[in-house]
């Protein structure tokens, strides 16, 4: 008969933190949420760290180009979804990497002689009011000039005229030289009272643009997660089928981290994928693996060479794996079991492998509990799907704004590779996810700031100012159904808030 574990499969809802002594260090301003993203040896530092312990799920409804930029700007990492063509995923990664902090690769370009009509259509399509004119019409061609929507009046011009008639030529434009720092570029913008500064290579080719409006963005985002070249850090999902073609394309696009997207990571297919990465890229490509729910799964992937390991099967809000297959584990139980294995592995081998808790998070305090239980960071889908920056549509239903949200195992996504068990099939046999709506929440920045403040405040209550210290000091207690009810507003009549 089957082996039955003695412990009960528990969720985050069944635990609460106990307060510890709050000393003079413990104020939110002193709390650092910096956390490792990839493995490292004892006494060394990881190649990649996040400034907030949150990454976005590898999902069509969550992680696109806009999320990649917005989340990196706030100190987290977006993993661009893999249930799309290799070319389109690589292009998404490339666009995020081109969005250098303050230095932007021009997205709107035309060549000399282009009819003004095409420029107007380009402005309408992209929303960019400034268009670069280069010799070959590319973002890195010989720079000839630029045109803005203030340089022509649609009602007063002939749209068949060449753009050259209305553009500001290079000789009249203040330009920066390749290698200029962002501080120097911003100084030039303010000194010359201009809104856009083209950065040119020595041969006159266009490299980047620096905009006045981005100056405030940089000042307002001190936690931005950047690589050595001041570009945003971004991840991407892969599967265990086309990885030999997908990974090279992602690496060429500049991806920083990759992660296998699978509902069950305890498989030979994941080991084979990691083996291929090590044979072809050594340790230069950082690859996450999972998902697993126990010690055996963790040790298998750790020995295979995973750079971080995801925990969780069936806990996502749109996931019905447990319902359809009867497999999985309560997220809290799975996480604590894997964290224990992680700590034993570190003690034995001197290699620390970060743990990512994936799924089971409904409330902000669940993030805090996951960190207390030993997770280094959490991966979330529903949380990020609510925001403006997610790729899904915002719709209005019964007077309320909602965002569409669907699982990768749903018929809508049809990401059969995520549930692949080998063989020759190339389709989704049955659904393991649903198609749904979730309440629209507005911009990522506003919401993430509130969540981060909650995490920092709770850590202070627990006498901790770093995640590492929180791992050591956090104390948890199981709660009953009655105590859960007691923890919410009760025995009062809540006032209804009128929306004016």
């Amino acid at each position: 008969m089957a082996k039955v574990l003695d412990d009960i499969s528990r969720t985050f809802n069944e635990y609460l933190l106990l307060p510890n002594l709050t000393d003079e260090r413990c104020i939110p301003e002193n709390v650092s949420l910096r956390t490792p993203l990839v493995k490292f040896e004892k006494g060394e530092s990881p190649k990649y760290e996040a400034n907030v312990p949150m990454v976005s799920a590898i999902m069509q409804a969550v992680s696109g180009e806009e999320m990649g930029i917005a989340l990196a700007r706030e100190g987290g990492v977006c993993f661009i979804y893999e249930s799309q063509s290799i070319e389109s995923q690589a292009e998404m990664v490339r666009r995020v990497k081109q969005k250098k902090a303050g230095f932007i690769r021009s997205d709107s370009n035309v060549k000399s002689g282009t009819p003004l009509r095409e420029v107007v259509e380009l402005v309408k399509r992209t929303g960019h009011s400034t268009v670069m004119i280069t010799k070959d019409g590319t973002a890195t061609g010989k720079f000839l000039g630029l045109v803005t929507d203030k340089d022509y009046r649609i009602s007063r011009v002939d749209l068949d005229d060449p753009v050259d008639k209305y553009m500001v030529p290079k000789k009249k434009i203040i330009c920066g030289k390749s290698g200029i720092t962002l501080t120097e570029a911003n100084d030039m913008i303010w000194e010359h009272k201009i809104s856009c500064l083209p950065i040119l290579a020595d041969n006159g080719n266009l490299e980047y643009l620096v905009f006045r409006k981005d100056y405030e963005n940089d000042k307002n985002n001190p936690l931005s997660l950047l690589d050595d070249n001041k570009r945003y850090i971004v991840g991407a999902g892969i599967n265990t089928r086309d990885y030999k073609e997908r990974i090279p394309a992602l690496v060429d696009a500049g991806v920083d981290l990759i992660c296998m997207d699978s509902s069950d990571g305890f498989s030979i297919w994941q080991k084979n994928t990691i083996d291929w990465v090590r044979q072809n890229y050594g340790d230069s490509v950082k690859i996450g693996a999972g998902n697993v729910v126990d010690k055996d799964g963790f040790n298998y992937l750790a020995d295979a060479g995973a750079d971080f390991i995801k925990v969780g099967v069936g806990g996502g809000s749109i996931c019905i794996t447990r319902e359809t297959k009867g497999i999985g584990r309560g997220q809290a139980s799975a996480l604590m079991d894997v964290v224990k294995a992680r700590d034993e592995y570190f003690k034995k081998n001197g290699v620390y492998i970060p743990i990512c808790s994936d799924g089971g998070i409904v409330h902000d305090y669940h993030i805090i509990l996951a960190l207390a239980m030993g997770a280094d960071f959490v991966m979330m889908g529903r949380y990020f799907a609510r925001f403006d920056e997610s790729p899904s549509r915002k719709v209005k239903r019964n007077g309320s704004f909602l965002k569409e949200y669907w699982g990768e195992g749903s018929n809508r996504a049809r990401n059969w590779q995520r549930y692949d068990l080998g063989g020759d099939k190339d389709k989704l046999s049955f659904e393991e996810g649903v198609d749904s709506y979730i309440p629209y929440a507005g911009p990522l920045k506003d919401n993430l700031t509130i969540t981060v403040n909650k995490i920092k405040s709770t850590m202070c209550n627990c006498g901790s100012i770093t995640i590492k210290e929180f791992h050591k000091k956090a104390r948890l207690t199981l709660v009953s159904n009655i105590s859960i009810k007691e923890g919410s507003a009760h025995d009062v009549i809540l006032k209804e808030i009128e929306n004016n």
Side-chain angles (χ1 to χ4, degrees), residues 31 33 52-54 361-368 371 378 380 382-384 386-387 441 443-459:
V31 174
L33 296 182
V52 295
M54 288 167 269
I361 291 173
V362 179
H363 307 291
D364 284 355
Y365 84 88
H366 289 166
I367 302 172
I368 303 168
L371 297 174
V378 298
M380 298 182 290
R382 186 192 63 85
Y383 178 91
F384 289 112
R386 304 174 298 152
F387 303 146
L444 178 147
K445 183 179 180 65
D446 295 348
N447 289 274
L448 193 64
T449 297
I450 294 172
T451 300
V452 165
N453 287 340
K454 290 178 183 178
I455 296 173
K456 289 184 174 183
S457 178
T458 304
M459 287 174 61

Side-chain angles (χ1 to χ4, degrees), residues 202-459:
D202 292 339
N203 61 3
N205 284 10
L206 180 64
E207 287 192 344
Y208 296 105
L209 304 175
V210 179
F211 288 94
R212 176 189 288 263
K213 63 183 175 61
D214 289 333
Y215 177 79
E216 288 300 321
N217 281 338
D218 295 330
K219 289 295 183 183
N220 292 334
N221 296 286
L223 295 178
S224 291
L225 206 58
L226 309 173
D227 64 16
D228 293 337
N229 295 312
K230 303 296 183 184
R231 300 175 303 176
Y232 291 122
I233 286 177
V234 64
I238 63 167
N239 60 62
T240 57
R241 280 276 180 160
D242 64 9
Y243 60 89
K244 293 181 181 179
E245 295 77 38
R246 189 173 293 270
I247 293 175
L250 293 172
V251 170
D252 183 64
V255 75
D256 298 285
L257 303 145
I258 57 176
C259 181
M260 284 178 278
D261 183 29
S262 173
S263 66
D264 176 19
F266 194 2
S267 75
I268 187 66
W269 317 119
Q270 294 219 349
K271 181 182 183 302
N272 290 346
T273 304
I274 296 172
D275 287 345
W276 185 87
V277 168
R278 297 300 176 231
Q279 290 165 9
N280 289 273
Y281 294 98
D283 289 328
S284 65
V285 169
K286 302 301 181 183
I287 179 170
N291 290 14
V292 298
V293 297
D294 63 6
K295 176 180 179 178
D296 293 341
F298 170 85
N299 285 331
Y300 181 79
L301 294 178
D303 290 340
D307 287 297
F308 65 89
I309 294 174
K310 291 198 298 167
V311 178
V313 172
S317 60
I318 41 68
C319 182
I320 55 173
T321 294
R322 297 180 194 173
E323 181 181 327
T324 57
K325 296 170 66 175
I327 194 167
R329 194 178 188 185
Q331 188 66 14
S333 295
L335 179 56
M336 288 189 285
D337 195 1
V338 172
V339 164
K340 183 179 179 181
R342 186 270 313 278
D343 292 343
E344 291 172 351
Y345 188 91
F346 178 59
K347 186 176 181 180
K348 178 181 177 182
N349 300 288
V351 177
Y352 187 91
I353 303 177
I355 296 299
C356 171
S357 180
D358 178 18
I361 291 173
V362 179
H363 307 291
D364 284 355
Y365 84 88
H366 289 166
I367 302 172
I368 303 168
L369 289 175
L371 297 174
M373 291 173 183
D376 296 282
F377 56 101
V378 298
M379 177 174 278
M380 298 182 290
R382 186 192 63 85
Y383 178 91
F384 289 112
R386 304 174 298 152
F387 303 146
D388 289 325
E389 294 81 2
S390 73
S392 62
R393 286 194 311 150
K394 182 174 75 170
V395 299
K396 194 172 186 178
R397 294 286 185 274
N398 299 321
S400 298
F401 284 106
L402 308 169
K403 289 278 279 186
E404 293 181 323
Y405 182 46
W406 60 95
E408 290 297 289
S410 67
N411 270 323
R412 180 170 182 172
R414 305 198 68 79
N415 184 6
W416 63 269
Q417 296 97 329
R418 189 175 195 274
Y419 305 90
D420 186 26
L421 295 176
D424 297 325
K425 74 168 190 176
D426 59 353
K427 62 182 180 179
L428 194 68
S429 299
F430 55 88
E431 287 187 288
E432 292 191 45
V434 299
D435 196 347
S436 65
Y437 295 112
I438 52 176
Y440 165 67
L444 178 147
K445 183 179 180 65
D446 295 348
N447 289 274
L448 193 64
T449 297
I450 294 172
T451 300
V452 165
N453 287 340
K454 290 178 183 178
I455 296 173
K456 289 184 174 183
S457 178
T458 304
M459 287 174 61

Side-chain angles (χ1 to χ4, degrees), residues 12-30:
F12 292 135
N13 276 333
E14 298 175 78
Y15 289 91
L16 283 176
L17 281 158
L18 299 177
N20 289 331
L21 173 66
T22 301
D23 57 37
E24 62 276 0
R25 303 172 306 136
C26 297
I27 57 174
E29 290 78 6
N30 289 343

